[in-house]
Amino acid sequence: GNGYEAWLGYPRPASASSEHSPVTPYHSIIAAEQDEVTGTAVAELVRGLSSLLGSAPLVAADALSAANRPCIAIGTWGGGNPLVEQVFGGDPPRLASPEGYAIRSSEAHSCIAIGADAPAGLLYGAFHLLRLLGTGAPLEALDISSKPANRLRMINQWDNMDGTIERGYAGASIFYEQNRIKDDLQRVEDYARMLASVGLNAISINNVNVFAVETRLITAEMLPDVARVADIFRKYAIRSFLSINFAAPMEIGGLDTADPLDPAVREWWRERAAEIYAAIPDFGGFLVKADSEHRPGPFTYGRDHADGSNMLAEALSPYGGLVIWRCFVYNCKQDWRDRKTDRARAAYDHFTPLDGRFHDNVILQIKNGPMDFQVREPVSPLIGAIPATHQVVEFQIAQEYTGQQRHLCYLVPQWKQVLDFDTLSRGEGSTVKAIADGSLYGRAWGGIAAVSNIGDDPNWTGHLLAQANLYGYGRLAWNPELSAEDIAQEWAQLTFGPMEPVVETVCRMLLDSWSIYESYTAPLGVGWMVNPSHHYGPNVDGYEYSMWGTYHFADCGGIGVDRTTATGTGYAAQYNGSNAERYEVLESCPDELLLFFHHVPYTHKLHSGTSVIQHIYNAHFEGVEQARGLLAQWQELEGRLNEQLYSQVAGRLKEQAEHACEWRDIINTYFWRKSGIPDELGRVIY
Ligand code: BDP
């Protein structure tokens, strides 16, 4: 009742009268294999069915008497489950992935069979079937096969060992307290279920900013505890990774350098790798933030990021480990008076010259936009610009700049826009998703990573509806072709039960929410009008005269960052062909990114026909009305869902509507003062 079960509660339809009620006749499970992950798959089926049926299903190793049909049979091809073999016949579907699965129903055998090449596929197949049951989908004539589009489907925890979470908006860490890994890891196990249920297969368990204590996670002192965490994730077919501190050889190794070309440093990392793999044989590898925001890195020694990552890759390679190296590298001591230095350029400028130099087990992780997870940014031009390098795209599920899980902001539509973007890097059809999944350039590794939005709040995400972002991220990482609408609907059905009008209302609210948040915050792609450091709430000049490279350049004449080649920073030229032209030229630049690329007078007319200044006023007034509308829509549902869930969300929506007013008034008044141009409708308070 408090949201803890998230989308895995499979609520037994209260009103059997509901036309969609998922009444399942499947009350037994046949599973012949004994391995750990298959065991998890069976246990999940048992849990899900128990709650849907109201009583535990029977589990048996071989075909049961006819009286126990209909049943669910689950097993790998050739794994000895007679029913799986009968249902799929001698020629099972070719899944072309150890994580793929097939589900087929057979009336003749009175059975639904889940088959796969390997146990991980069975786990994903089991969750798929539960999703069908939980959403009340028809079960006759099922013939499904599915495999993940992306090989790496990763979650990044930004948890610190003192129990805090960098950019965490839902309580404290579920992994750590008082500089130790917790003794009780029940919540970690429940989290592993959530991640596996949406198909995620990798996790880094500590913040990318690795400080003193976390540096020691790779030492004998802490590895037994890390192994306990990895043991849990392994059951759910999830590989564990650690973020490392590039200066670890000095900070904990007693060396006087961390130079990646120094033989003693290389040897030190090899020894660490040996030690880690002795404790965790299937350890995933390292996630690295280097030379970024005061973190150490190879630049200190005059080396580049290929030298740095290759050194770690060499240490991990005997064990099949990966180095996931972040491209969030920029100078955070920029001077705002220098209009030619542009933080947006940095990732591309640093990494394109290195293409082709990375070892096979190095993957570059690229933030979706060139700046930093703003509500609106163009797609990072680095994606597609390093064809000879493995790359994964990084999203932020945690709503750092999108309302911090106090405001509703369903991010799946934003992520879809990124994944569908055509980079034109190899002509038309060079979409981000085809680059991320490795197919466009024939890369062996690729995928998607995202910063988690969970903490130890009872409902995991603070705002209950923010669970939809975690759910949607996983579903999209598995299959980027799913629509934002379908994902929203699935999530709402699984969370609240497949009943109207709850599902319809929740979906509408989710789908409208990104645009609502955008409309009352920083306008037209300019970003950054937030309070420094914690990043919540409006602050018009908070970052304007600081060193972080995050400016809007508003003055009495106009606003926006000139990133054109002719008169600006030249960032727009990092795009290919017609993308570059579209952004360079004022007339063709899309309204929503106008101020990201151009500095324009307030009177500049948008494609919509409205002037920039009037658009700012209008959008902020409309945004507030729409935020109030979210609350009103939710209030319509009072009495139709669990009281605790209802009031959790109502509380957040009320706060959102109030804070939206603060955004509106501060932003609008600021621009009136800057521009001296009043609101045509006379609404703005001076
Ligand atoms: C920014 C966050 C900062 C992170 C950094 C990163 O404000 O806390 O450490 O990104 O991604 O969004 O490394």
Side-chain angles (χ1 to χ4, degrees):
N2 63 357
Y4 187 81
E5 300 215 282
W7 53 86
L8 296 174
Y10 308 106
R12 185 166 158 70
S15 53
S17 60
S18 156
E19 55 180 308
H20 297 296
S21 58
V23 182
T24 166
Y26 297 90
H27 55 269
S28 45
I29 298 167
I30 301 174
E33 288 150 281
Q34 295 301 320
D35 68 275
E36 192 172 36
V37 172
T38 305
T40 309
V42 172
E44 287 298 333
L45 286 171
V46 169
R47 254 178 109 148
L49 285 173
S50 304
S51 111
L52 285 159
L53 295 165
S55 64
L58 207 73
V59 182
D62 52 298
L64 300 157
S65 73
N68 287 319
R69 307 287 175 84
C71 66
I72 293 168
I74 181 166
T76 57
W77 315 132
N81 190 322
L83 268 175
V84 171
E85 264 141 54
Q86 285 163 30
V87 171
F88 286 99
D91 186 25
R94 258 172 258 247
L95 299 168
S97 162
E99 298 181 300
Y101 57 85
I103 304 176
R104 191 176 286 180
S105 53
S106 160
E107 222 175 304
H109 298 95
S110 193
C111 160
I112 296 179
I114 304 172
D117 288 341
L122 298 181
L123 180 61
Y124 300 131
F127 278 120
H128 188 134
L129 181 57
L130 287 168
R131 210 154 51 225
L132 296 176
L133 292 166
T135 54
L139 300 176
E140 309 81 47
L142 292 180
D143 192 5
I144 296 168
S145 73
S146 182
K147 69 175 172 115
N150 293 293
R151 186 163 171 199
L152 202 65
R153 304 179 302 281
M154 188 164 188
I155 264 287
N156 296 167
Q157 296 302 129
W158 282 4
D159 297 37
N160 301 313
M161 293 189 74
D162 64 3
T164 61
I165 302 175
E166 175 133 1
R167 313 308 176 186
Y169 309 109
S173 174
I174 63 168
F175 291 85
Y176 311 103
E177 65 193 350
Q178 293 173 353
N179 295 326
R180 294 196 54 239
I181 291 183
K182 290 190 180 198
D183 292 326
D184 179 0
L185 293 175
Q186 183 55 48
R187 268 201 91 142
V188 171
E189 174 143 3
D190 292 340
Y191 184 43
R193 297 181 63 216
M194 291 163 70
L195 299 180
S197 75
V198 290
L200 296 171
N201 68 357
I203 185 168
S204 56
I205 64 168
N206 61 306
N207 187 0
V208 288
N209 297 312
V210 185
F211 298 109
V213 205
E214 293 85 4
T215 306
R216 302 208 313 267
L217 280 167
I218 54 171
T219 63
E221 171 201 355
M222 291 190 182
L223 278 170
D225 278 335
V226 178
R228 283 196 297 125
V229 174
D231 288 346
I232 291 172
F233 284 114
R234 183 179 305 109
K235 284 201 274 186
Y236 288 87
I238 297 169
R239 276 174 92 183
S240 300
F241 290 67
L242 290 171
S243 298
I244 57 101
N245 179 341
F246 197 81
M250 300 164 77
E251 291 193 14
I252 56 171
L255 303 186
D256 58 8
T257 176
D259 181 351
L261 299 191
D262 185 292
V265 172
R266 300 174 86 87
E267 180 54 26
W268 189 85
W269 281 111
R270 276 197 292 271
E271 285 164 12
R272 291 294 73 65
E275 214 166 7
I276 294 169
Y277 280 91
I280 308 164
D282 59 348
F283 180 66
F286 297 147
L287 175 64
V288 192
K289 172 175 180 177
D291 291 315
S292 170
E293 300 181 335
H294 313 292
R295 303 316 302 146
F299 286 166
T300 308
Y301 310 96
R303 315 297 182 196
D304 63 30
H305 282 213
D307 299 326
S309 56
N310 287 341
M311 180 251 318
L312 296 171
E314 197 181 274
L316 297 180
S317 119
Y319 315 94
L322 299 171
V323 173
I324 303 180
W325 189 273
R326 296 177 81 230
C327 297
F328 185 62
V329 178
Y330 70 98
N331 174 11
C332 64
K333 295 182 190 159
Q334 292 178 30
D335 190 326
W336 58 271
R337 284 162 297 194
D338 173 13
R339 288 190 177 218
K340 293 284 173 190
T341 323
D342 185 359
R343 169 168 165 184
R345 296 185 55 114
Y348 182 101
D349 286 345
H350 280 302
F351 286 95
T352 48
L354 305 179
D355 189 32
R357 281 190 45 214
F358 295 96
H359 286 185
D360 261 359
N361 56 332
V362 175
I363 304 176
L364 297 192
Q365 180 165 310
I366 308 171
K367 285 192 182 184
N368 63 272
M371 294 296 279
D372 196 6
F373 301 135
Q374 301 301 290
V375 67
R376 176 76 65 173
E377 281 186 51
V379 169
S380 168
L382 179 57
I383 300 168
I386 40 174
T389 304
H390 302 312
Q391 48 200 297
V392 304
V393 176
E394 176 177 338
F395 292 128
Q396 194 185 40
I397 312 173
Q399 290 170 240
E400 177 177 0
Y401 294 98
T402 49
Q404 304 200 348
Q405 290 148 237
R406 293 156 79 176
H407 297 231
L408 180 61
C409 192
Y410 177 56
L411 290 164
V412 173
Q414 188 201 53
W415 300 332
K416 285 217 42 111
Q417 225 172 57
V418 173
L419 294 168
D420 289 341
F421 180 76
D422 194 344
T423 68
L424 305 174
S425 64
R426 216 178 67 177
E428 263 175 52
S430 306
T431 54
V432 168
K433 62 192 168 197
I435 293 161
D437 70 17
S439 61
L440 188 72
Y441 291 108
R443 310 295 313 166
W445 277 103
I448 314 190
V451 182
S452 176
N453 65 346
I454 68 107
D456 74 353
D457 271 4
N459 70 3
W460 300 93
T461 49
H463 201 312
L464 179 77
L465 303 190
Q467 286 184 2
N469 283 329
L470 181 59
Y471 181 88
Y473 165 66
R475 298 287 288 126
L476 214 53
W478 182 279
N479 180 7
E481 304 306 327
L482 294 174
S483 74
E485 291 78 8
D486 287 349
I487 292 174
Q489 175 159 340
E490 251 180 39
W491 176 78
Q493 289 181 330
L494 290 169
T495 302
F496 299 107
M499 54 179 173
E500 301 304 351
V502 175
V503 170
E504 200 197 320
T505 301
V506 168
C507 286
R508 197 175 342 107
M509 292 172 65
L510 289 173
L511 290 163
D512 290 345
S513 59
W514 174 36
S515 137
I516 294 175
Y517 188 78
E518 179 174 26
S519 65
Y520 61 78
T521 55
L524 300 166
V526 82
W528 298 108
M529 300 181 84
V530 292
N531 284 302
S533 106
H534 62 72
H535 299 163
Y536 184 80
N539 187 324
V540 289
D541 283 335
Y543 274 114
E544 199 54 22
Y545 306 102
S546 69
M547 310 268 263
W548 294 90
T550 49
Y551 315 119
H552 53 62
F553 294 116
D555 58 21
C556 63
I559 177 174
V561 189
D562 186 352
R563 293 191 160 106
T564 64
T565 307
T567 54
T569 69
Y571 165 79
Q574 291 183 343
Y575 291 89
N576 299 302
S578 59
N579 285 341
E581 282 161 37
R582 189 167 73 250
Y583 294 141
E584 293 268 14
V585 178
L586 185 57
E587 287 68 40
S588 57
C589 186
D591 285 350
E592 71 271 14
L593 288 170
L594 181 72
L595 303 181
F596 193 94
F597 285 100
H598 296 274
H599 185 85
V600 297
Y602 294 104
T603 50
H604 173 82
K605 282 264 183 296
L606 298 171
H607 295 117
S608 66
T610 314
S611 68
V612 166
I613 189 72
Q614 195 55 42
H615 166 88
I616 292 176
Y617 298 148
N618 293 349
H620 285 77
F621 279 98
E622 282 156 21
V624 167
E625 287 320 308
Q626 289 173 309
R628 290 179 176 147
L630 290 173
L631 177 61
Q633 290 173 69
W634 185 255
Q635 283 168 338
E636 296 280 305
L637 299 180
E638 185 163 17
R640 291 185 187 268
L641 39 87
N642 164 306
E643 168 55 29
Q644 232 183 318
L645 297 186
Y646 172 80
S647 48
Q648 262 180 35
V649 175
R652 300 266 162 162
L653 292 171
K654 198 161 164 284
E655 189 189 357
Q656 174 174 2
E658 283 158 12
H659 286 187
C661 293
E662 187 187 340
W663 272 99
R664 176 197 64 195
D665 294 341
I666 290 178
I667 300 278
N668 280 347
T669 301
Y670 174 79
F671 282 112
W672 188 7
R673 288 187 190 171
K674 283 271 166 182
S675 69
I677 305 173
D679 172 23
E680 283 167 6
L681 301 175
R683 297 159 297 183
V684 179
I685 312 156
Y686 191 83

